[in-house]
Amino acid sequence: MTEEINKCIEVLQNGGLILYPTDTVWGIGCDATNEAAVKKVYELKQREDSKALICLVANDAMLERTIEDVPEVAYDIIDLSTKPTTIIYDNPKGVAKNLIAADNTLAVRVASDKFCRYLINKFKKPIVSTSSNISGRPTPKSFNEIDSVILKGVDYVVNLQPEQKSAVPSVIIKLSNDGTVKIIRQ
């Protein structure tokens, strides 16, 4: 696993794209602080950059470096969730501008997958995580379902088969600083 992490970090540091197993589905990833890399993700997915992408962090400390003011309830949601949960926060900071939604929000998930946590910890920055499909097409439930356009479009494909998971996208909850909680995807 260390070799795979080192290869990924080299690609990420050079503004490249990786295809990697996450705590949900196989994801396309890049350095979340690199605007040019984020643009490549939108282009590969053939997706408008007005549709925001998810960002993975390794722990609460990295979350706090990425979001201006993390609402207290977020920690309860993260700790009590029984499945991967992405939270949309107000006022992100330190990430690529084209990763931030028009309403100044950012979707962030604290990774629960061991490979992802190790990778993000060693990279020391958030990583983009978006499903490995062309926009509008179904999310692949396994590596074998990933479109060849995606496989050819990334700079590195992680050579690890993840532990068998449910392979479903994360729950998405929007937490506004005014206390509003809204479930976007269950």
Side-chain angles (χ1 to χ4, degrees):
M1 184 160 70
T2 303
E3 189 180 325
E4 289 300 313
I5 287 173
N6 290 337
K7 287 178 182 175
C8 287
I9 287 173
E10 186 180 329
V11 170
L12 294 169
Q13 288 173 334
N14 291 311
L17 306 185
I18 61 170
L19 183 65
Y20 66 116
T22 72
D23 44 3
T24 56
V25 296
W26 276 82
I28 300 168
C30 72
D31 176 350
T33 67
N34 182 328
E35 207 166 320
V38 172
K39 187 176 192 291
K40 288 182 197 175
V41 173
Y42 284 117
E43 288 169 355
L44 178 58
K45 285 186 63 85
Q46 300 170 25
R47 182 175 178 166
E48 299 168 37
D49 64 10
S50 60
K51 287 190 168 191
L53 301 171
I54 291 173
C55 185
L56 292 183
V57 295
N59 49 44
D60 291 350
M62 190 178 285
L63 172 64
E64 290 161 6
R65 289 193 303 272
T66 308
I67 301 300
E68 197 70 47
D69 183 28
V70 178
E72 278 303 311
V73 70
Y75 300 107
D76 293 333
I77 292 170
I78 293 165
D79 292 342
L80 299 172
S81 293
T82 55
K83 52 187 179 177
T85 302
T86 301
I87 300 176
I88 301 172
Y89 298 94
D90 291 335
N91 306 319
K93 60 182 181 178
V95 295
K97 288 188 187 98
N98 55 347
L99 196 56
I100 300 170
D103 62 353
N104 197 34
T105 60
L106 179 65
V108 182
R109 183 166 73 248
V110 177
S112 57
D113 176 80
K114 187 167 84 169
F115 174 79
C116 288
R117 279 199 326 264
Y118 285 173
L119 172 61
I120 299 163
N121 258 328
K122 192 162 183 188
F123 187 55
K124 296 182 173 51
K125 292 191 256 183
I127 295 176
V128 164
S129 178
T130 183
S131 55
S132 54
N133 60 311
I134 303 292
S135 191
R137 296 192 188 153
T139 299
K141 297 202 182 328
S142 70
F143 181 81
N144 298 336
E145 293 180 16
I146 299 171
D147 192 303
S148 63
V149 171
I150 299 292
L151 292 169
K152 291 175 188 159
V154 297
D155 300 292
Y156 186 69
V157 177
V158 171
N159 190 18
L160 288 178
Q161 288 303 316
E163 297 144 29
Q164 206 46 41
K165 302 186 265 294
S166 56
V168 293
S170 67
V171 170
I172 299 179
I173 298 171
K174 183 171 177 141
L175 278 187
S176 299
N177 285 349
D178 66 3
T180 307
V181 177
K182 183 178 178 186
I183 295 174
I184 308 292
R185 179 172 71 199
Q186 265 183 297

